[in-house]
Each structure stands twice: as structure tokens, then as C-alpha cells.
């Protein structure tokens, strides 16, 4: 937008003493304010959606799990794990390994896949705080059957690893192995690892 404003105002107008500079600066300020507002709105919408998921899937039983569509299943399990965090001192790294093998694995696979997608691959994942889950993510990838993805994650843990090349390897492997789809299959085959307790009530899909 600023490029358009710049092109719309000739250089001699910008430097002229007829008020053009003031108008130009006001337009830039307006563009910045609108950009900041839209950025904040997008963050609020994402946070609101995440809060809705954690509230909806705070507790899961087998019948509730079975009713969740495949395309929402992994997100539901991740939200169920996140809902277990202490809101005053959230510490996923110490909570997640105490959960069932399935929950721990699926959450960590979900985390590495989403972080890689959002942060530009394994390099971005390892540059952020989620890197502490790398070994658990590799274990989870192996458990669900995404062994090539697991190999890339493990290789990236080595000192001096070429993260750019390994990011490409992970992306290629993920396209072949579809780790999140393998998570869905694992959950369907092992529902007992993902339920909180037998209950007559359950989350709605």
C-alpha cells in the first residue's frame, strides 16, 4: 500500500511546501494503523478458535472420539492435551511425556508438522521453543509409521546438521508418508490411548 502512495505522489509534491508532506505522512500512518489492526484481529481470531477447540475437547471418551470426523481428529487430540495444561503455569514439555504413548506421540507429531508449516521447515522448528520436543516427535513419527520423517528430525538434532537440506528432506517425506493421516489411523486403531475416562457425556464434533 505504501508503494502505491509513493507512486501516486510525485517527488516534487512530497518536497513542496503546500501540505503534501503532511498528507503523505498521514496516509502512511493510516496504512500502518490499519495493518496493525488487521494483524491483531487475525491473532484474536486464531486464539479464539484455539480456545474453542480446547473447551470442546477438554474431555474425551470413546464414543465422543469415534464421532469426531477424521479431518478434525488430530486437532481434537492436540486440543485435549493442551486443555490439561495448568493455565497459570503452562508447561507442555513436562506434561506431555506423562501422558499415554499415543497421546504423547500424536501431540508431538502434530506439533512438529504445524511448526514446520508455520516456521518454514525444520530450521524454523529448531530455532523456536518447540525444539525441545524434537526427540519425542521423532519417536512419535516412528510409532505412527512415518519413518522417513522421523529420520529427518533425528538427523537435524545432530550438531552441524544442514537444516536447510533436512527441511527439504522432511517436506518430501511428509508428502509421501502423510504423518498426520497416519496419526488418524493410529487413533482409530487405539482409541483407548486417547480417552480421559469412561463417561456418559462427551465432546461434540
Amino acid at each position: 500500500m505504501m508503494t502505491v502512495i509513493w507512486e501516486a505522489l510525485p517527488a516534487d509534491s512530497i518536497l513542496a511546501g503546500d501540505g503534501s508532506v503532511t498528507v503523505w505522512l498521514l496516509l502512511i500512518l493510516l496504512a500502518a494503523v490499519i495493518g496493525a489492526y488487521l494483524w491483531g484481529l487475525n491473532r484474536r481470531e486464531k486464539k479464539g478458535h484455539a480456545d474453542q477447540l480446547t473447551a470442546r475437547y477438554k474431555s474425551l471418551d470413546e464414543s465422543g472420539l469415534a464421532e469426531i470426523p477424521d479431518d478434525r481428529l488430530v486437532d481434537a487430540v492436540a486440543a485435549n492435551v493442551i486443555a490439561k495444561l495448568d493455565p497459570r503455569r503452562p508447561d507442555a514439555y513436562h506434561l506431555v511425556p506423562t501422558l499415554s504413548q499415543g497421546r504423547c506421540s500424536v501431540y508431538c507429531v502434530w506439533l512438529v508438522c504445524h511448526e514446520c508449516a508455520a516456521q518454514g521447515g525444520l530450521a524454523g522448528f529448531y530455532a523456536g521453543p518447540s525444539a525441545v520436543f524434537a526427540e519425542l516427535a521423532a519417536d512419535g513419527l516412528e510409532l505412527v509409521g512415518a519413518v522417513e520423517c522421523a529420520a529427518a528430525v533425528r538427523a537435524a538434532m545432530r550438531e552441524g546438521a544442514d537444516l536447510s537440506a533436512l527441511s527439504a528432506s522432511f517436506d518430501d517425506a511428509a508428502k509421501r508418508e502423510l504423518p498426520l493421516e497416519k496419526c488418524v489411523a493410529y487413533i482409530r486403531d487405539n482409541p483407548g490411548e486417547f480417552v480421559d475416562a469412561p463417561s456418559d457425556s462427551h465432546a461434540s464434533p
Side-chain angles (χ1 to χ4, degrees):
M1 185 171 181
M2 288 197 298
T3 301
V4 174
I5 294 170
W6 181 271
E7 291 176 351
L9 293 173
D12 56 352
S13 296
I14 294 172
L15 298 175
D18 58 1
S20 296
V21 172
T22 301
V23 173
W24 180 70
L25 291 175
L26 286 175
L27 288 172
I28 290 178
L29 178 61
L30 178 62
V33 170
I34 293 173
Y37 170 76
L38 292 175
W39 179 82
L41 182 63
N42 185 52
R43 283 183 62 86
R44 285 195 296 274
E45 287 176 349
K46 288 182 177 178
K47 187 175 187 301
H49 180 62
D51 289 343
Q52 289 175 9
L53 285 176
T54 53
R56 177 179 294 179
Y57 300 117
K58 184 176 181 179
S59 179
L60 288 172
D61 60 22
E62 285 203 31
S63 58
L65 194 69
E67 292 177 6
I68 300 171
D70 285 355
D71 61 350
R72 299 182 196 172
L73 189 58
V74 177
D75 285 344
V77 168
N80 177 260
V81 171
I82 293 169
K84 301 181 188 311
L85 295 173
D86 183 342
R88 296 166 299 178
R89 299 181 63 184
D91 187 354
Y93 182 65
H94 286 92
L95 168 71
V96 171
T98 69
L99 303 175
S100 69
Q101 182 183 36
R103 266 194 179 126
C104 175
S105 297
V106 168
Y107 174 81
C108 292
V109 172
W110 170 87
L111 181 65
V112 72
C113 289
H114 280 264
E115 286 288 304
C116 284
Q119 305 299 333
L122 283 179
F125 170 74
Y126 277 98
S130 297
V132 296
F133 289 94
E135 189 165 357
L136 291 173
D139 291 342
L141 287 161
E142 288 175 350
L143 180 68
V144 301
V147 292
E148 292 182 38
C149 289
V153 172
R154 289 198 191 283
M157 286 189 269
R158 300 183 190 126
E159 186 175 353
D162 184 344
L163 292 180
S164 178
L166 288 168
S167 289
S169 296
F170 180 86
D171 290 344
D172 289 343
K175 290 174 184 176
R176 291 190 298 272
E177 296 182 322
L178 303 174
L180 293 177
E181 291 189 15
K182 288 184 181 297
C183 284
V184 172
Y186 185 90
I187 296 166
R188 295 301 188 204
D189 290 340
N190 304 276
E193 294 188 41
F194 300 91
V195 297
D196 294 299
S199 172
D200 293 332
S201 62
H202 56 264
S204 300

